[in-house]
């Protein structure tokens, strides 16, 4: 951060909103403050020749290009916030020549943008400092789906894990940087899963600028997906609503109308809870003619009376997904009750997650205007790998590398970050530090060949045993091959389906959870009970490059079954 940037802001705090228990159980639009009887004084629009200019009748005036639908100005209380590097705010990296129209209906102004098969909308409500947005994508003619609000430099302090300046050195691709003190920065390092936040943004204490996310019903990746949220760079900042992003993506892209999401200004505080996705309603937008819009009456609800067979040490999440939409909600800790509202009609796969690990799935059909009530869902004991009796276990089966060495840091830093503990080092069962000493990630070119030392009783050493290694994602088809006591080596397992893009270096361990099993014969064990057995874990693959971009994998749990 430059001295100029530092002096330009007296105080700034990064704030994000905690997701509500209802998760993505939202209806189709925000619950705005009660509609005024008449438009607020000053509310209206004009045409300056190049842009439609919207005055919200509050403290916000914004402009939308009549040529391509870019947001070209975002002025709050007379200060221009839009723009850095000469770039506008827009869908993806900006659309080409589009058809842009504007209409006003009472206290609502709607700007419609059509670019081929893609449609995008901006709406303003009289007396509000908000811009409501919808994006409808019908096919892959636009590669990704995001909206980025580009914010001028110097308005908010540049000091967060996803911030960088051009004086930082580039350490990977063109989007991961190292500061002179060895800490790393990237726009990818958001820390958060979609389920963890309602809004993202910045505040100086007197002005807050936020993106309030949508319910993500047409996004992909589920509740635990991580994606770009914001970044700060030398020439300004960006706030994102990512509706489809291919990096470490586990699902196909969904199409259709997504939104609303909201650009919200405040006097420094958080956005109103009435804007959060769990509180969203759409009555004021029902008659706007937005393509693909489905109001509350066209949606249904799923409610479950409870979930039995839970491990109460963990939070449980219930997800609904099909090729057209996704939703989720949190199960009540006392009994597993859940309710997911605002669901488009259709048949969905309902998945129960322990932490981030899928432990049960069924099918459910949702009908418009109705609630589908489910009896208690029972998670079979065999579906939770933690229930299997183990001689020893490193970590626990929860679908994430949480608790392993460097796991927390890796959601907001590169593996080369100076704050990371050594990626090498062996593990001794019974030391009390098995999990914290075991690295969350293993790479072919960094720490392959890690050793685990353990002892067996005479009875245990006389029998064959199964070793399990759970992984949460893999890069370049990295997968574990094991050797026991330098005498028995497993076959190289086939790689499971995993995203093909970067993952471990861009803040994400979320892929497709998979368990590798190895049947180890009794002849592999040492019969002297005073001696340690030695398990060597190598990462194998014919793909990848070097260092942290060599083939690798993220670890969920490792155990030797009794």
């Amino acid at each position: 951060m430059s001295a100029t940037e530092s002096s330009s802001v007296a105080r700034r705090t990064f704030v994000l909103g905690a997701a509500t228990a209802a998760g993505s159980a939202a209806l189709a639009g925000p619950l705005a403050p009660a509609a005024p009887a008449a438009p607020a004084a000053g509310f209206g629009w004009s045409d300056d020749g190049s842009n439609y200019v919207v005055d919200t009748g509050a403290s916000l005036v914004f402009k939308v290009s009549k040529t391509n639908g870019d947001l070209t100005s975002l002025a709050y209380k007379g200060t221009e916030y839009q723009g850095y590097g000469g770039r506008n705010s827009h869908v993806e990296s900006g659309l080409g020549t589009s058809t842009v129209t504007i209409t006003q209906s009472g206290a609502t102004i709607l700007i419609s943008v059509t670019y081929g098969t893609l449609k995008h909308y901006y709406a303003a409500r009289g007396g509000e400092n908000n811009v409501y947005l919808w994006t409808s994508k019908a096919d892959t003619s636009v590669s990704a789906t995001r909206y980025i609000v580009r914010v001028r430099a110097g308005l908010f302090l540049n000091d967060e894990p996803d911030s960088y300046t051009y004086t930082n050195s580039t350490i990977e691709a063109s989007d991961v940087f190292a500061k002179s003190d060895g800490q790393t920065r990237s726009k990818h390092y958001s820390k958060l899963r979609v389920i963890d936040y309602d809004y993202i943004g910045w505040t100086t204490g007197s002005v807050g600028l936020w993106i309030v996310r949508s319910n993500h019903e047409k996004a992909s990746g589920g509740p635990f997906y991580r994606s770009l949220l914001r970044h700060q760079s030398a020439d300004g900042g960006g706030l994102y609503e990512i509706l489809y992003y291919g990096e470490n993506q586990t699902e196909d892209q969904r199409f259709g109308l997504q939104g609303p999401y909201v650009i919200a200004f405040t006097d420094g505080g958080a956005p109103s809870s009435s804007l959060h996705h769990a509180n969203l309603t759409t009555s004021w937008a029902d008659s706007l003619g937005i393509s693909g819009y489905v109001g509350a009456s066209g949606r249904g609800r799923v409610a479950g009376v409870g979930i039995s067979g839970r491990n109460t040490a963990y939070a449980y999440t219930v997800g609904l997904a099909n090729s057209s939409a996704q939703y989720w909600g949190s199960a009540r800790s006392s009994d597993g009750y859940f309710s997911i509202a605002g669901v488009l009609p259709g048949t969905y796969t309902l998945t129960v997650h322990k932490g981030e690990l899928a432990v049960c799935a069924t099918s459910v059909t949702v009908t418009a205007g109705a609630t589908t009530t489910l009896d208690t869902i029972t998670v079979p004991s065999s579906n939770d790998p933690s229930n299997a009796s183990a001689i020893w276990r490193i970590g626990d089966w929860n679908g994430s590398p949480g608790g392993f060495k460097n796991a927390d840091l890796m959601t907001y830093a590169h593996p080369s970050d100076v704050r990371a503990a050594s990626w090498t080092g062996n593990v001794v069962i019974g030391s009390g530090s098995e999990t914290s000493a075991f690295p969350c990630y293993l790479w072919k070119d960094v720490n392959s060949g890690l050793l685990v030392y353990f002892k067996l009783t005479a009875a245990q050493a006389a029998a064959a045993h199964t070793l399990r290694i759970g992984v949460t994602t893999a890069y370049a088809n990295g997968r574990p091959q094991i050797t026991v006591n330098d005498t028995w080596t497993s076959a190289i397992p086939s790689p499971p389906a995993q995203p093909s893009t970067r993952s471990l270096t861009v803040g994400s361990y979320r892929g497709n959870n998979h368990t590798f099993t190895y049947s180890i014969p009794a002849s592999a064990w040492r019969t002297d009970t005073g001696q340690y057995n030695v398990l060597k874990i190598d990462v194998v693959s014919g793909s990848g490059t070097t260092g942290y971009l060599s083939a690798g994998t993220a670890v969920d749990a490792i155990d030797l079954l009794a």
Side-chain angles (χ1 to χ4, degrees):
M1 179 183 65
S2 69
T4 301
E5 287 174 311
S6 178
S7 63
S8 68
V9 180
R11 182 176 71 87
R12 178 269 193 187
T13 304
F14 164 62
V15 182
L16 53 97
T20 66
S24 186
L27 300 184
L31 175 61
F43 178 69
W45 65 273
S46 59
D47 182 340
D48 69 3
S50 300
N51 306 279
Y52 291 122
V53 183
V54 178
D55 188 330
T56 64
S59 300
L60 176 63
V61 178
F62 65 92
K63 299 180 181 180
V64 174
S65 168
K66 294 167 56 181
T67 301
N68 57 20
D70 282 2
L71 188 68
T72 61
S73 176
L74 197 60
Y76 179 66
K77 294 187 175 179
T79 297
E80 180 62 67
Y81 285 82
Q82 149 59 37
Y84 68 76
R87 305 178 71 181
N88 296 324
S89 300
H90 39 221
V91 175
E92 191 46 14
S93 295
L95 303 175
T97 301
S98 305
T99 300
V100 184
T101 61
I102 189 168
T103 59
Q104 180 171 350
S105 177
T108 303
I109 293 171
L110 181 72
I111 297 175
S112 303
V113 181
T114 300
Y115 175 74
T117 59
L118 184 144
K119 297 181 184 297
H120 180 71
Y121 302 91
Y122 302 89
R125 297 277 287 162
E128 296 184 26
N129 292 312
N130 304 319
V131 183
Y132 299 88
L133 304 96
W134 289 261
T135 304
S136 180
K137 185 176 176 182
D139 52 40
T140 59
S141 57
V142 176
S143 60
T145 310
R146 69 174 183 179
Y147 194 91
I148 179 170
V149 180
R150 301 187 187 274
V151 183
R152 290 172 53 206
L155 297 172
F156 301 100
L157 196 60
N158 181 9
D159 65 348
E160 291 298 329
D162 54 6
S163 65
Y164 54 90
T165 68
Y166 298 126
T167 59
N168 298 156
S169 61
T170 303
I171 60 173
E172 184 177 299
S174 58
D175 54 12
V176 183
F177 306 89
K179 296 173 60 180
S180 59
D181 63 4
Q183 291 191 16
T184 54
R185 298 286 189 266
S186 174
K187 63 184 180 181
H188 299 287
Y189 297 153
S190 65
K191 295 187 181 182
L192 303 173
R193 308 167 303 173
V194 178
I195 196 174
D196 294 329
Y197 72 97
D198 288 310
Y199 54 87
I200 194 80
W202 301 293
T203 178
T204 65
S206 58
V207 175
L209 173 56
W210 317 94
I211 282 276
V212 184
R213 77 165 174 86
S214 67
N215 67 357
H216 277 222
E217 69 181 0
K218 296 294 185 179
S220 297
F224 313 123
Y225 189 66
R226 284 181 165 85
S227 188
L228 283 70
L229 296 182
R230 51 161 205 150
H231 78 268
Q232 286 272 19
S233 60
D235 57 2
L239 295 177
Y240 297 88
E241 167 75 338
I242 300 289
L243 303 176
Y244 178 77
Y245 191 58
E247 194 119 79
N248 207 34
Q249 180 59 253
T250 59
E251 293 185 299
D252 291 335
Q253 186 169 181
R254 293 182 172 94
F255 298 108
L257 183 70
Q258 179 66 65
Y261 47 103
V262 187
I263 302 170
F265 280 92
T266 70
D267 289 336
S272 167
S273 61
S274 65
L275 296 178
H276 299 180
H277 57 274
N279 300 324
L280 304 180
T281 62
T282 60
S283 58
W284 62 269
D286 284 354
S287 60
L288 295 181
I290 294 172
S291 179
Y293 180 93
V294 179
S297 63
R299 296 168 177 267
R301 174 174 168 261
V302 176
V305 299
I307 302 172
S308 66
R310 292 175 299 122
N311 180 337
T312 56
Y314 289 92
Y316 280 68
T317 301
V318 178
L320 303 177
N322 61 22
S323 61
S324 299
Q326 62 171 8
Y327 308 89
W328 56 82
S330 298
R332 193 161 60 193
S333 59
S334 60
D335 56 9
Y337 168 83
F338 62 91
S339 176
I340 305 174
V343 180
L344 292 171
T347 298
Y348 294 84
T349 297
L350 182 153
T351 304
V352 176
H353 299 269
K354 168 199 172 188
E356 297 186 20
L357 183 66
V359 292
C360 187
T362 187
S363 180
V364 62
T365 298
V366 178
T367 304
T371 296
T372 301
T373 302
L374 303 177
D375 291 334
T376 296
I377 296 173
T378 299
V379 177
S381 178
S382 59
N383 283 19
D384 185 345
S386 298
N387 292 330
S389 178
I391 296 171
W392 53 261
R393 178 170 291 144
I394 304 174
D396 197 9
W397 297 88
N398 61 13
S400 84
F404 285 93
K405 182 164 63 175
N406 293 327
D408 290 342
L409 180 65
M410 287 302 96
T411 62
Y412 62 94
H414 190 268
S416 65
D417 195 288
V418 68
R419 293 167 291 179
S422 172
W423 288 104
T424 58
N426 302 320
V427 176
V428 179
I429 301 298
S431 65
S433 60
E434 296 92 338
T435 301
S436 60
F438 198 102
C440 64
Y441 298 161
L442 298 173
W443 290 272
K444 183 177 181 180
D445 199 38
V446 175
N447 55 355
S448 184
L450 184 141
L451 303 179
V452 178
Y453 294 87
F454 59 97
K455 292 181 179 181
L456 297 175
T457 66
Q460 291 167 343
H465 296 284
T466 296
L467 182 87
R468 304 185 299 183
I469 301 178
V471 303
T472 66
T473 195
Y475 176 68
N477 285 331
R479 66 266 197 200
Q481 181 182 33
I482 67 168
T483 299
V484 177
N485 295 324
D486 289 327
T487 61
W488 180 89
T489 300
S490 72
I492 297 175
S494 298
Q498 296 290 3
S500 60
T501 60
R502 288 182 299 168
S503 53
L504 310 181
T505 59
V506 291
S508 177
Y509 58 77
R510 175 81 270 121
N512 296 311
N513 289 104
H514 181 81
T515 302
F516 294 94
T517 60
Y518 310 84
S519 298
I520 304 173
S523 59
W525 309 125
R526 288 176 176 160
T527 56
D528 184 343
T529 58
Q531 283 188 302
Y532 280 104
N533 289 272
V534 183
L535 168 70
K536 184 172 74 165
I537 304 174
D538 289 301
V539 176
V540 295
S541 176
S543 304
T545 56
T546 60
Y548 298 109
L549 289 178
S550 64
T553 191
V555 180
D556 180 11
I558 303 172
D559 56 19
L560 183 67
L561 299 185

